[in-house]
Amino acid sequence: MEGKMRQHLLQMLIENGDTFVSGQQISDELNCSRTAIWKHITELRKEGYVIEAVQRKGYRIVSSPDRVTEHEISARLKSDVLGKNIVYEESVKSTQEIAQKLSYEQKPEGTLVVADEQTGGRGRLGRPWQSPKGTGIWMSLILRPEIPLQKTPQLTLLAAVSVTKAIYKVTGLHAEIKWPNDILINGKKTVGILTELQAESDRVHAVIIGIGLNVNVTVEDFNEDVRKIATSLKIESGNETKRADLIAAILEEIEVLYREYLNKGFGLIKLLWEGYAHSIGRRIKVRTASQQLEGVAKGITDEGILLLEDDNGKVHSIYSADIEIPGT
Amino acid sequence: MEGKMRQHLLQMLIENGDTFVSGQQISDELNCSRTAIWKHITELRKEGYVIEAVQRKGYRIVSSPDRVTEHEISARLKSDVLGKNIVYEESVKSTQEIAQKLSYEQKPEGTLVVADEQTGGRGRLGRPWQSPKGTGIWMSLILRPEIPLQKTPQLTLLAAVSVTKAIYKVTGLHAEIKWPNDILINGKKTVGILTELQAESDRVHAVIIGIGLNVNVTVEDFNEDVRKIATSLKIESGNETKRADLIAAILEEIEVLYREYLNKGFGLIKLLWEGYAHSIGRRIKVRTASQQLEGVAKGITDEGILLLEDDNGKVHSIYSADIEIPGT
């Protein structure tokens, strides 16, 4: 109850921005005493909020800490389903692992697992993903779409479009999508998306979308090898971003496109994806488990499969591969 | 060690069928004393084996109990990979649930979970599956094929073909496959197959094939409603079947077809499947989550999707549905 009330208070303050909120207003809305309000303000200050308190005017937030706790996210979030249930942990091995478990336990669609640090973060194909404390968004979202198995790769593309849009909205940075699941800024990897499934062969139980996003990571945080291929929003924009703002924006973008997707199908998502895609129409090298190919990326199919036309004009369907764009 | 030795002894006796195996032969092969052999024979008798012991001739099995323990199955099994690791439990909620967990723990391909009884067995689409004690095969097999997600429904079909072949081999009964995952004898459901996945959107970690097979279930074991639509090998053939014989035969059939599938693709499996299919070329009713259709089942695609031609000649791709064959 205490937590809920504090969250409600925080939400009021955040929504009012620079405007003071009077003690009376808070006390009416929260149905609590002035003393109780003061106690919550003290707690919020301990959490790193700088809150101005002026007699006869009330309270306002001067600055917030960059935290990704449940109430930091909830206070910013305007969504109907996604993020309505948030599980925050300071440090975890992997948010995907926790989300997988919660999904088995029938937690509802929209459940979000978010951590300040991952000690064993995983990327696509089991590759490790560095997730240093306090500098990135490491989160996993449970969706339960009623779609056939064959269509689930579409949700990776939907998530990539949503994250790209949210990055632009919050930071003004133009990101590009590299098939199937990376997001690049100025040619360097900024976001990785990992989509995992729990399914029967003809029914999807859950799609778990993991997002790793380098927000305030600095060049020094990356080791030498990673520096050449990875970047962060801070490195590219010069500014710090409040992670909770970006998480809220990502969830809102996903919610809009996901609703569109469930109601009207993949059409719009595909158009948006192709618009943001880094490689479509360009010459690429493709390395699958069994072969290497070179040619022009022609587009994606309605099932999210990449079409590659080789130099003999033969079109290959690429289900899973690493792609390389010569000259980047 | 004791268990391994007993299993080895059992295997020798089973392989020799009606022929006596001399104490000397056993003692040489197992590298143990006559007293040790006698101890193992006593233990096997306690488990329900009737073993004849004749001086100067040796031992032979007169009858075996119908058990599905690790050593009962292993003694009969001639496979390279499948069933090399067997987890037997007397009573479980669901073998799928255990196999899911073991798969997350990186247990190898071919791991088999088998139980004498399931208290919460599940069929396709979360439907309950009755799994009474001692009368059926309730098992789950972990496969780890390197195939794209889109192709995993093919493995349900592969499993259905394998089980149909194994039933014929062991009992002489002709079964038919009803798309996607039921096996019928004389029009009544005898086997259900449930295929579940652990996957990324472009990599399959595991395909877990659950098989529920009514072996020695009697008419009385089914409630009134189920009686009309379900049957067992015993009801149809009049004979009891040793479950371990059938499990070994199923694993061997799956292994042969699975190897063919990984090396040469879905072609042969598709032909076999269509050969055993109950509904192809016939008029069927299809009920999907969103609509009802009627028409002729034309066949399956290379991805295991059912093609239905309606009365206007339009062909529909059916990913997931219940089908009904009028007049059966």
PDB file of all heavy atoms in Angstrom, chain A residues 100 104 124-125 149-150 152 156 194-197 199-202 319-320, chain B residues 100 104 124-125 149-150 152 156 195-197 199-202 319-320:
ATOM      1  N   GLN A 100      10.707 -16.017 -18.996  1.00  0.00           N
ATOM      2  CA  GLN A 100      10.334 -17.380 -19.406  1.00  0.00           C
ATOM      3  C   GLN A 100       9.609 -18.081 -18.245  1.00  0.00           C
ATOM      4  O   GLN A 100       8.581 -18.719 -18.443  1.00  0.00           O
ATOM      5  CB  GLN A 100      11.601 -18.207 -19.732  1.00  0.00           C
ATOM      6  CG  GLN A 100      12.278 -17.833 -21.035  1.00  0.00           C
ATOM      7  CD  GLN A 100      11.745 -18.611 -22.230  1.00  0.00           C
ATOM      8  OE1 GLN A 100      10.758 -19.333 -22.120  1.00  0.00           O
ATOM      9  NE2 GLN A 100      12.385 -18.436 -23.365  1.00  0.00           N
ATOM     10  N   TYR A 104       5.609 -19.276 -17.974  1.00  0.00           N
ATOM     11  CA  TYR A 104       5.141 -20.618 -17.623  1.00  0.00           C
ATOM     12  C   TYR A 104       4.134 -20.580 -16.495  1.00  0.00           C
ATOM     13  O   TYR A 104       3.225 -21.391 -16.422  1.00  0.00           O
ATOM     14  CB  TYR A 104       6.313 -21.517 -17.217  1.00  0.00           C
ATOM     15  CG  TYR A 104       6.843 -22.312 -18.376  1.00  0.00           C
ATOM     16  CD1 TYR A 104       8.136 -22.133 -18.836  1.00  0.00           C
ATOM     17  CD2 TYR A 104       6.032 -23.242 -19.030  1.00  0.00           C
ATOM     18  CE1 TYR A 104       8.613 -22.845 -19.916  1.00  0.00           C
ATOM     19  CE2 TYR A 104       6.494 -23.958 -20.100  1.00  0.00           C
ATOM     20  CZ  TYR A 104       7.794 -23.767 -20.548  1.00  0.00           C
ATOM     21  OH  TYR A 104       8.256 -24.466 -21.617  1.00  0.00           O
ATOM     22  N   ARG A 124      21.130 -12.967 -29.448  1.00  0.00           N
ATOM     23  CA  ARG A 124      20.639 -13.961 -30.381  1.00  0.00           C
ATOM     24  C   ARG A 124      21.637 -15.122 -30.488  1.00  0.00           C
ATOM     25  O   ARG A 124      22.831 -14.939 -30.304  1.00  0.00           O
ATOM     26  CB  ARG A 124      20.500 -13.258 -31.734  1.00  0.00           C
ATOM     27  CG  ARG A 124      19.764 -14.021 -32.759  1.00  0.00           C
ATOM     28  CD  ARG A 124      19.534 -13.113 -33.974  1.00  0.00           C
ATOM     29  NE  ARG A 124      19.731 -13.853 -35.214  1.00  0.00           N
ATOM     30  CZ  ARG A 124      20.698 -13.615 -36.072  1.00  0.00           C
ATOM     31  NH1 ARG A 124      21.561 -12.647 -35.864  1.00  0.00           N
ATOM     32  NH2 ARG A 124      20.799 -14.346 -37.157  1.00  0.00           N
ATOM     33  N   LEU A 125      21.131 -16.305 -30.770  1.00  0.00           N
ATOM     34  CA  LEU A 125      21.945 -17.506 -30.962  1.00  0.00           C
ATOM     35  C   LEU A 125      22.865 -17.791 -29.771  1.00  0.00           C
ATOM     36  O   LEU A 125      23.969 -18.302 -29.929  1.00  0.00           O
ATOM     37  CB  LEU A 125      22.767 -17.397 -32.255  1.00  0.00           C
ATOM     38  CG  LEU A 125      21.993 -17.054 -33.535  1.00  0.00           C
ATOM     39  CD1 LEU A 125      22.921 -16.985 -34.733  1.00  0.00           C
ATOM     40  CD2 LEU A 125      20.884 -18.075 -33.803  1.00  0.00           C
ATOM     41  N   LEU A 149       2.494 -20.210 -35.438  1.00  0.00           N
ATOM     42  CA  LEU A 149       3.929 -20.269 -35.192  1.00  0.00           C
ATOM     43  C   LEU A 149       4.743 -19.599 -36.305  1.00  0.00           C
ATOM     44  O   LEU A 149       5.699 -18.863 -36.046  1.00  0.00           O
ATOM     45  CB  LEU A 149       4.270 -21.764 -35.171  1.00  0.00           C
ATOM     46  CG  LEU A 149       5.611 -22.165 -34.662  1.00  0.00           C
ATOM     47  CD1 LEU A 149       5.753 -21.726 -33.222  1.00  0.00           C
ATOM     48  CD2 LEU A 149       5.760 -23.668 -34.773  1.00  0.00           C
ATOM     49  N   GLN A 150       4.347 -19.881 -37.534  1.00  0.00           N
ATOM     50  CA  GLN A 150       5.102 -19.392 -38.695  1.00  0.00           C
ATOM     51  C   GLN A 150       5.196 -17.874 -38.719  1.00  0.00           C
ATOM     52  O   GLN A 150       6.071 -17.322 -39.371  1.00  0.00           O
ATOM     53  CB  GLN A 150       4.435 -19.867 -40.010  1.00  0.00           C
ATOM     54  CG  GLN A 150       4.590 -21.349 -40.302  1.00  0.00           C
ATOM     55  CD  GLN A 150       3.557 -22.221 -39.590  1.00  0.00           C
ATOM     56  OE1 GLN A 150       2.818 -21.750 -38.732  1.00  0.00           O
ATOM     57  NE2 GLN A 150       3.527 -23.498 -39.913  1.00  0.00           N
ATOM     58  N   THR A 152       5.499 -15.843 -36.021  1.00  0.00           N
ATOM     59  CA  THR A 152       6.134 -15.185 -34.873  1.00  0.00           C
ATOM     60  C   THR A 152       7.369 -14.339 -35.213  1.00  0.00           C
ATOM     61  O   THR A 152       7.615 -13.350 -34.527  1.00  0.00           O
ATOM     62  CB  THR A 152       6.477 -16.188 -33.756  1.00  0.00           C
ATOM     63  OG1 THR A 152       7.226 -17.253 -34.319  1.00  0.00           O
ATOM     64  CG2 THR A 152       5.221 -16.739 -33.122  1.00  0.00           C
ATOM     65  N   THR A 156       9.445  -9.939 -34.010  1.00  0.00           N
ATOM     66  CA  THR A 156      10.800  -9.387 -33.867  1.00  0.00           C
ATOM     67  C   THR A 156      10.885  -8.101 -34.681  1.00  0.00           C
ATOM     68  O   THR A 156      11.444  -7.087 -34.231  1.00  0.00           O
ATOM     69  CB  THR A 156      11.852 -10.380 -34.396  1.00  0.00           C
ATOM     70  OG1 THR A 156      11.695 -11.625 -33.729  1.00  0.00           O
ATOM     71  CG2 THR A 156      13.262  -9.867 -34.159  1.00  0.00           C
ATOM     72  N   LEU A 194      15.942  -9.982 -28.882  1.00  0.00           N
ATOM     73  CA  LEU A 194      15.944 -11.446 -28.849  1.00  0.00           C
ATOM     74  C   LEU A 194      14.515 -11.901 -28.611  1.00  0.00           C
ATOM     75  O   LEU A 194      13.936 -11.582 -27.579  1.00  0.00           O
ATOM     76  CB  LEU A 194      16.841 -11.923 -27.706  1.00  0.00           C
ATOM     77  CG  LEU A 194      16.794 -13.416 -27.357  1.00  0.00           C
ATOM     78  CD1 LEU A 194      17.355 -14.232 -28.507  1.00  0.00           C
ATOM     79  CD2 LEU A 194      17.576 -13.692 -26.091  1.00  0.00           C
ATOM     80  N   THR A 195      13.947 -12.598 -29.570  1.00  0.00           N
ATOM     81  CA  THR A 195      12.569 -13.062 -29.420  1.00  0.00           C
ATOM     82  C   THR A 195      12.569 -14.554 -29.148  1.00  0.00           C
ATOM     83  O   THR A 195      13.111 -15.321 -29.935  1.00  0.00           O
ATOM     84  CB  THR A 195      11.756 -12.774 -30.696  1.00  0.00           C
ATOM     85  OG1 THR A 195      12.017 -11.441 -31.093  1.00  0.00           O
ATOM     86  CG2 THR A 195      10.283 -12.938 -30.454  1.00  0.00           C
ATOM     87  N   GLU A 196      11.980 -14.943 -28.057  1.00  0.00           N
ATOM     88  CA  GLU A 196      11.892 -16.366 -27.733  1.00  0.00           C
ATOM     89  C   GLU A 196      10.435 -16.791 -27.616  1.00  0.00           C
ATOM     90  O   GLU A 196       9.566 -15.977 -27.344  1.00  0.00           O
ATOM     91  CB  GLU A 196      12.649 -16.670 -26.436  1.00  0.00           C
ATOM     92  CG  GLU A 196      14.152 -16.448 -26.596  1.00  0.00           C
ATOM     93  CD  GLU A 196      14.952 -16.828 -25.361  1.00  0.00           C
ATOM     94  OE1 GLU A 196      14.559 -16.415 -24.255  1.00  0.00           O
ATOM     95  OE2 GLU A 196      15.963 -17.515 -25.501  1.00  0.00           O
ATOM     96  N   LEU A 197      10.228 -18.068 -27.825  1.00  0.00           N
ATOM     97  CA  LEU A 197       8.864 -18.591 -27.886  1.00  0.00           C
ATOM     98  C   LEU A 197       8.605 -19.688 -26.897  1.00  0.00           C
ATOM     99  O   LEU A 197       9.488 -20.487 -26.626  1.00  0.00           O
ATOM    100  CB  LEU A 197       8.634 -19.275 -29.230  1.00  0.00           C
ATOM    101  CG  LEU A 197       8.812 -18.504 -30.483  1.00  0.00           C
ATOM    102  CD1 LEU A 197       8.417 -19.395 -31.632  1.00  0.00           C
ATOM    103  CD2 LEU A 197       7.929 -17.289 -30.420  1.00  0.00           C
ATOM    104  N   ALA A 199       5.677 -22.501 -27.254  1.00  0.00           N
ATOM    105  CA  ALA A 199       4.640 -22.814 -28.232  1.00  0.00           C
ATOM    106  C   ALA A 199       4.407 -24.301 -28.376  1.00  0.00           C
ATOM    107  O   ALA A 199       5.274 -25.109 -28.079  1.00  0.00           O
ATOM    108  CB  ALA A 199       5.047 -22.259 -29.589  1.00  0.00           C
ATOM    109  N   GLU A 200       3.195 -24.631 -28.840  1.00  0.00           N
ATOM    110  CA  GLU A 200       2.931 -25.940 -29.416  1.00  0.00           C
ATOM    111  C   GLU A 200       3.153 -25.791 -30.902  1.00  0.00           C
ATOM    112  O   GLU A 200       3.254 -24.674 -31.401  1.00  0.00           O
ATOM    113  CB  GLU A 200       1.459 -26.331 -29.207  1.00  0.00           C
ATOM    114  CG  GLU A 200       1.135 -26.676 -27.788  1.00  0.00           C
ATOM    115  CD  GLU A 200      -0.364 -26.908 -27.614  1.00  0.00           C
ATOM    116  OE1 GLU A 200      -1.001 -27.503 -28.503  1.00  0.00           O
ATOM    117  OE2 GLU A 200      -0.890 -26.472 -26.585  1.00  0.00           O
ATOM    118  N   SER A 201       3.144 -26.906 -31.647  1.00  0.00           N
ATOM    119  CA  SER A 201       3.432 -26.716 -33.062  1.00  0.00           C
ATOM    120  C   SER A 201       2.296 -25.979 -33.756  1.00  0.00           C
ATOM    121  O   SER A 201       2.482 -25.431 -34.817  1.00  0.00           O
ATOM    122  CB  SER A 201       3.781 -28.030 -33.752  1.00  0.00           C
ATOM    123  OG  SER A 201       2.707 -28.914 -33.654  1.00  0.00           O
ATOM    124  N   ASP A 202       1.107 -25.941 -33.173  1.00  0.00           N
ATOM    125  CA  ASP A 202       0.075 -25.113 -33.800  1.00  0.00           C
ATOM    126  C   ASP A 202      -0.580 -24.116 -32.847  1.00  0.00           C
ATOM    127  O   ASP A 202      -1.691 -23.657 -33.096  1.00  0.00           O
ATOM    128  CB  ASP A 202      -0.973 -25.959 -34.523  1.00  0.00           C
ATOM    129  CG  ASP A 202      -1.764 -26.818 -33.569  1.00  0.00           C
ATOM    130  OD1 ASP A 202      -1.384 -26.919 -32.393  1.00  0.00           O
ATOM    131  OD2 ASP A 202      -2.764 -27.394 -34.007  1.00  0.00           O
ATOM    132  N   TYR A 319      16.260 -17.684 -43.619  1.00  0.00           N
ATOM    133  CA  TYR A 319      15.517 -17.795 -42.358  1.00  0.00           C
ATOM    134  C   TYR A 319      16.332 -17.248 -41.195  1.00  0.00           C
ATOM    135  O   TYR A 319      15.840 -16.589 -40.316  1.00  0.00           O
ATOM    136  CB  TYR A 319      15.186 -19.259 -42.049  1.00  0.00           C
ATOM    137  CG  TYR A 319      14.148 -19.860 -42.948  1.00  0.00           C
ATOM    138  CD1 TYR A 319      14.501 -20.542 -44.104  1.00  0.00           C
ATOM    139  CD2 TYR A 319      12.797 -19.742 -42.642  1.00  0.00           C
ATOM    140  CE1 TYR A 319      13.543 -21.114 -44.932  1.00  0.00           C
ATOM    141  CE2 TYR A 319      11.827 -20.303 -43.457  1.00  0.00           C
ATOM    142  CZ  TYR A 319      12.210 -20.993 -44.604  1.00  0.00           C
ATOM    143  OH  TYR A 319      11.249 -21.541 -45.401  1.00  0.00           O
ATOM    144  N   SER A 320      17.618 -17.612 -41.171  1.00  0.00           N
ATOM    145  CA  SER A 320      18.473 -17.234 -40.041  1.00  0.00           C
ATOM    146  C   SER A 320      19.888 -17.062 -40.550  1.00  0.00           C
ATOM    147  O   SER A 320      20.414 -17.933 -41.229  1.00  0.00           O
ATOM    148  CB  SER A 320      18.432 -18.331 -38.977  1.00  0.00           C
ATOM    149  OG  SER A 320      19.346 -18.030 -37.943  1.00  0.00           O
TER     150      SER A 320
ATOM    151  N   GLN B 100      10.279 -30.363 -20.587  1.00  0.00           N
ATOM    152  CA  GLN B 100      10.537 -28.926 -20.778  1.00  0.00           C
ATOM    153  C   GLN B 100      11.649 -28.480 -19.839  1.00  0.00           C
ATOM    154  O   GLN B 100      12.573 -27.782 -20.224  1.00  0.00           O
ATOM    155  CB  GLN B 100       9.285 -28.093 -20.450  1.00  0.00           C
ATOM    156  CG  GLN B 100       8.157 -28.196 -21.464  1.00  0.00           C
ATOM    157  CD  GLN B 100       8.271 -27.153 -22.572  1.00  0.00           C
ATOM    158  OE1 GLN B 100       9.261 -26.447 -22.689  1.00  0.00           O
ATOM    159  NE2 GLN B 100       7.256 -27.088 -23.415  1.00  0.00           N
ATOM    160  N   TYR B 104      15.535 -27.209 -20.724  1.00  0.00           N
ATOM    161  CA  TYR B 104      16.142 -25.946 -20.278  1.00  0.00           C
ATOM    162  C   TYR B 104      17.485 -26.196 -19.608  1.00  0.00           C
ATOM    163  O   TYR B 104      18.394 -25.389 -19.682  1.00  0.00           O
ATOM    164  CB  TYR B 104      15.225 -25.201 -19.293  1.00  0.00           C
ATOM    165  CG  TYR B 104      14.361 -24.187 -19.985  1.00  0.00           C
ATOM    166  CD1 TYR B 104      12.979 -24.322 -19.996  1.00  0.00           C
ATOM    167  CD2 TYR B 104      14.929 -23.099 -20.646  1.00  0.00           C
ATOM    168  CE1 TYR B 104      12.181 -23.417 -20.666  1.00  0.00           C
ATOM    169  CE2 TYR B 104      14.144 -22.191 -21.307  1.00  0.00           C
ATOM    170  CZ  TYR B 104      12.775 -22.346 -21.315  1.00  0.00           C
ATOM    171  OH  TYR B 104      11.989 -21.450 -21.979  1.00  0.00           O
ATOM    172  N   ARG B 124      -3.281 -31.445 -27.098  1.00  0.00           N
ATOM    173  CA  ARG B 124      -3.122 -30.253 -27.894  1.00  0.00           C
ATOM    174  C   ARG B 124      -4.039 -29.145 -27.367  1.00  0.00           C
ATOM    175  O   ARG B 124      -5.088 -29.414 -26.806  1.00  0.00           O
ATOM    176  CB  ARG B 124      -3.511 -30.628 -29.331  1.00  0.00           C
ATOM    177  CG  ARG B 124      -3.190 -29.628 -30.347  1.00  0.00           C
ATOM    178  CD  ARG B 124      -3.382 -30.252 -31.725  1.00  0.00           C
ATOM    179  NE  ARG B 124      -3.971 -29.280 -32.633  1.00  0.00           N
ATOM    180  CZ  ARG B 124      -5.197 -29.342 -33.126  1.00  0.00           C
ATOM    181  NH1 ARG B 124      -5.983 -30.355 -32.834  1.00  0.00           N
ATOM    182  NH2 ARG B 124      -5.631 -28.399 -33.936  1.00  0.00           N
ATOM    183  N   LEU B 125      -3.621 -27.899 -27.545  1.00  0.00           N
ATOM    184  CA  LEU B 125      -4.402 -26.722 -27.165  1.00  0.00           C
ATOM    185  C   LEU B 125      -4.834 -26.750 -25.699  1.00  0.00           C
ATOM    186  O   LEU B 125      -5.893 -26.253 -25.331  1.00  0.00           O
ATOM    187  CB  LEU B 125      -5.630 -26.565 -28.072  1.00  0.00           C
ATOM    188  CG  LEU B 125      -5.367 -26.585 -29.593  1.00  0.00           C
ATOM    189  CD1 LEU B 125      -6.662 -26.446 -30.362  1.00  0.00           C
ATOM    190  CD2 LEU B 125      -4.389 -25.497 -30.000  1.00  0.00           C
ATOM    191  N   LEU B 149      12.306 -22.326 -37.492  1.00  0.00           N
ATOM    192  CA  LEU B 149      11.056 -22.383 -36.756  1.00  0.00           C
ATOM    193  C   LEU B 149       9.868 -22.819 -37.617  1.00  0.00           C
ATOM    194  O   LEU B 149       9.040 -23.624 -37.205  1.00  0.00           O
ATOM    195  CB  LEU B 149      10.805 -20.948 -36.278  1.00  0.00           C
ATOM    196  CG  LEU B 149       9.749 -20.718 -35.258  1.00  0.00           C
ATOM    197  CD1 LEU B 149      10.113 -21.465 -33.992  1.00  0.00           C
ATOM    198  CD2 LEU B 149       9.655 -19.229 -34.980  1.00  0.00           C
ATOM    199  N   GLN B 150       9.835 -22.241 -38.829  1.00  0.00           N
ATOM    200  CA  GLN B 150       8.707 -22.482 -39.725  1.00  0.00           C
ATOM    201  C   GLN B 150       8.535 -23.971 -40.047  1.00  0.00           C
ATOM    202  O   GLN B 150       7.471 -24.400 -40.453  1.00  0.00           O
ATOM    203  CB  GLN B 150       8.886 -21.719 -41.043  1.00  0.00           C
ATOM    204  CG  GLN B 150       8.705 -20.218 -40.942  1.00  0.00           C
ATOM    205  CD  GLN B 150       9.951 -19.484 -40.448  1.00  0.00           C
ATOM    206  OE1 GLN B 150      10.911 -20.106 -40.003  1.00  0.00           O
ATOM    207  NE2 GLN B 150       9.935 -18.163 -40.506  1.00  0.00           N
ATOM    208  N   THR B 152       9.108 -26.562 -37.952  1.00  0.00           N
ATOM    209  CA  THR B 152       8.906 -27.485 -36.831  1.00  0.00           C
ATOM    210  C   THR B 152       7.598 -28.280 -36.888  1.00  0.00           C
ATOM    211  O   THR B 152       7.584 -29.413 -36.402  1.00  0.00           O
ATOM    212  CB  THR B 152       9.022 -26.768 -35.472  1.00  0.00           C
ATOM    213  OG1 THR B 152       8.176 -25.625 -35.470  1.00  0.00           O
ATOM    214  CG2 THR B 152      10.447 -26.337 -35.206  1.00  0.00           C
ATOM    215  N   THR B 156       5.893 -32.913 -36.032  1.00  0.00           N
ATOM    216  CA  THR B 156       4.660 -33.543 -35.548  1.00  0.00           C
ATOM    217  C   THR B 156       4.236 -34.629 -36.534  1.00  0.00           C
ATOM    218  O   THR B 156       3.839 -35.728 -36.150  1.00  0.00           O
ATOM    219  CB  THR B 156       3.521 -32.501 -35.435  1.00  0.00           C
ATOM    220  OG1 THR B 156       3.961 -31.426 -34.609  1.00  0.00           O
ATOM    221  CG2 THR B 156       2.275 -33.116 -34.836  1.00  0.00           C
ATOM    222  N   THR B 195       3.346 -31.493 -29.817  1.00  0.00           N
ATOM    223  CA  THR B 195       4.711 -31.032 -30.052  1.00  0.00           C
ATOM    224  C   THR B 195       4.871 -29.637 -29.482  1.00  0.00           C
ATOM    225  O   THR B 195       4.129 -28.731 -29.835  1.00  0.00           O
ATOM    226  CB  THR B 195       5.007 -30.996 -31.572  1.00  0.00           C
ATOM    227  OG1 THR B 195       4.584 -32.220 -32.126  1.00  0.00           O
ATOM    228  CG2 THR B 195       6.494 -30.820 -31.824  1.00  0.00           C
ATOM    229  N   GLU B 196       5.836 -29.461 -28.610  1.00  0.00           N
ATOM    230  CA  GLU B 196       6.088 -28.144 -28.032  1.00  0.00           C
ATOM    231  C   GLU B 196       7.507 -27.704 -28.356  1.00  0.00           C
ATOM    232  O   GLU B 196       8.382 -28.523 -28.610  1.00  0.00           O
ATOM    233  CB  GLU B 196       5.856 -28.167 -26.520  1.00  0.00           C
ATOM    234  CG  GLU B 196       4.381 -28.397 -26.183  1.00  0.00           C
ATOM    235  CD  GLU B 196       4.094 -28.345 -24.690  1.00  0.00           C
ATOM    236  OE1 GLU B 196       4.824 -28.996 -23.927  1.00  0.00           O
ATOM    237  OE2 GLU B 196       3.138 -27.671 -24.297  1.00  0.00           O
ATOM    238  N   LEU B 197       7.704 -26.401 -28.344  1.00  0.00           N
ATOM    239  CA  LEU B 197       8.976 -25.833 -28.765  1.00  0.00           C
ATOM    240  C   LEU B 197       9.606 -24.974 -27.699  1.00  0.00           C
ATOM    241  O   LEU B 197       8.927 -24.274 -26.965  1.00  0.00           O
ATOM    242  CB  LEU B 197       8.746 -24.841 -29.905  1.00  0.00           C
ATOM    243  CG  LEU B 197       8.111 -25.335 -31.155  1.00  0.00           C
ATOM    244  CD1 LEU B 197       8.079 -24.181 -32.134  1.00  0.00           C
ATOM    245  CD2 LEU B 197       8.911 -26.476 -31.694  1.00  0.00           C
ATOM    246  N   ALA B 199      12.333 -22.014 -28.432  1.00  0.00           N
ATOM    247  CA  ALA B 199      12.966 -21.456 -29.620  1.00  0.00           C
ATOM    248  C   ALA B 199      13.193 -19.968 -29.512  1.00  0.00           C
ATOM    249  O   ALA B 199      12.521 -19.277 -28.746  1.00  0.00           O
ATOM    250  CB  ALA B 199      12.079 -21.721 -30.836  1.00  0.00           C
ATOM    251  N   GLU B 200      14.181 -19.488 -30.269  1.00  0.00           N
ATOM    252  CA  GLU B 200      14.273 -18.075 -30.594  1.00  0.00           C
ATOM    253  C   GLU B 200      13.513 -17.902 -31.900  1.00  0.00           C
ATOM    254  O   GLU B 200      13.191 -18.881 -32.570  1.00  0.00           O
ATOM    255  CB  GLU B 200      15.730 -17.676 -30.840  1.00  0.00           C
ATOM    256  CG  GLU B 200      16.556 -17.650 -29.586  1.00  0.00           C
ATOM    257  CD  GLU B 200      18.028 -17.396 -29.914  1.00  0.00           C
ATOM    258  OE1 GLU B 200      18.327 -16.564 -30.786  1.00  0.00           O
ATOM    259  OE2 GLU B 200      18.857 -18.044 -29.290  1.00  0.00           O
ATOM    260  N   SER B 201      13.322 -16.661 -32.337  1.00  0.00           N
ATOM    261  CA  SER B 201      12.546 -16.540 -33.569  1.00  0.00           C
ATOM    262  C   SER B 201      13.336 -17.041 -34.762  1.00  0.00           C
ATOM    263  O   SER B 201      12.755 -17.353 -35.786  1.00  0.00           O
ATOM    264  CB  SER B 201      12.035 -15.118 -33.775  1.00  0.00           C
ATOM    265  OG  SER B 201      13.099 -14.234 -33.864  1.00  0.00           O
ATOM    266  N   ASP B 202      14.642 -17.180 -34.663  1.00  0.00           N
ATOM    267  CA  ASP B 202      15.358 -17.813 -35.774  1.00  0.00           C
ATOM    268  C   ASP B 202      16.257 -18.967 -35.363  1.00  0.00           C
ATOM    269  O   ASP B 202      17.163 -19.328 -36.094  1.00  0.00           O
ATOM    270  CB  ASP B 202      16.116 -16.782 -36.619  1.00  0.00           C
ATOM    271  CG  ASP B 202      17.231 -16.119 -35.832  1.00  0.00           C
ATOM    272  OD1 ASP B 202      17.279 -16.303 -34.603  1.00  0.00           O
ATOM    273  OD2 ASP B 202      18.046 -15.431 -36.450  1.00  0.00           O
ATOM    274  N   TYR B 319      -3.534 -23.524 -40.678  1.00  0.00           N
ATOM    275  CA  TYR B 319      -2.397 -23.669 -39.759  1.00  0.00           C
ATOM    276  C   TYR B 319      -2.771 -24.481 -38.529  1.00  0.00           C
ATOM    277  O   TYR B 319      -2.023 -25.300 -38.045  1.00  0.00           O
ATOM    278  CB  TYR B 319      -1.909 -22.293 -39.291  1.00  0.00           C
ATOM    279  CG  TYR B 319      -1.238 -21.468 -40.347  1.00  0.00           C
ATOM    280  CD1 TYR B 319      -1.957 -20.563 -41.128  1.00  0.00           C
ATOM    281  CD2 TYR B 319       0.131 -21.587 -40.558  1.00  0.00           C
ATOM    282  CE1 TYR B 319      -1.320 -19.798 -42.095  1.00  0.00           C
ATOM    283  CE2 TYR B 319       0.774 -20.828 -41.523  1.00  0.00           C
ATOM    284  CZ  TYR B 319       0.038 -19.930 -42.294  1.00  0.00           C
ATOM    285  OH  TYR B 319       0.675 -19.182 -43.243  1.00  0.00           O
ATOM    286  N   SER B 320      -3.950 -24.199 -37.989  1.00  0.00           N
ATOM    287  CA  SER B 320      -4.364 -24.846 -36.750  1.00  0.00           C
ATOM    288  C   SER B 320      -5.874 -24.960 -36.751  1.00  0.00           C
ATOM    289  O   SER B 320      -6.573 -23.978 -36.995  1.00  0.00           O
ATOM    290  CB  SER B 320      -3.903 -24.013 -35.546  1.00  0.00           C
ATOM    291  OG  SER B 320      -4.424 -24.556 -34.357  1.00  0.00           O
TER     292      SER B 320
END
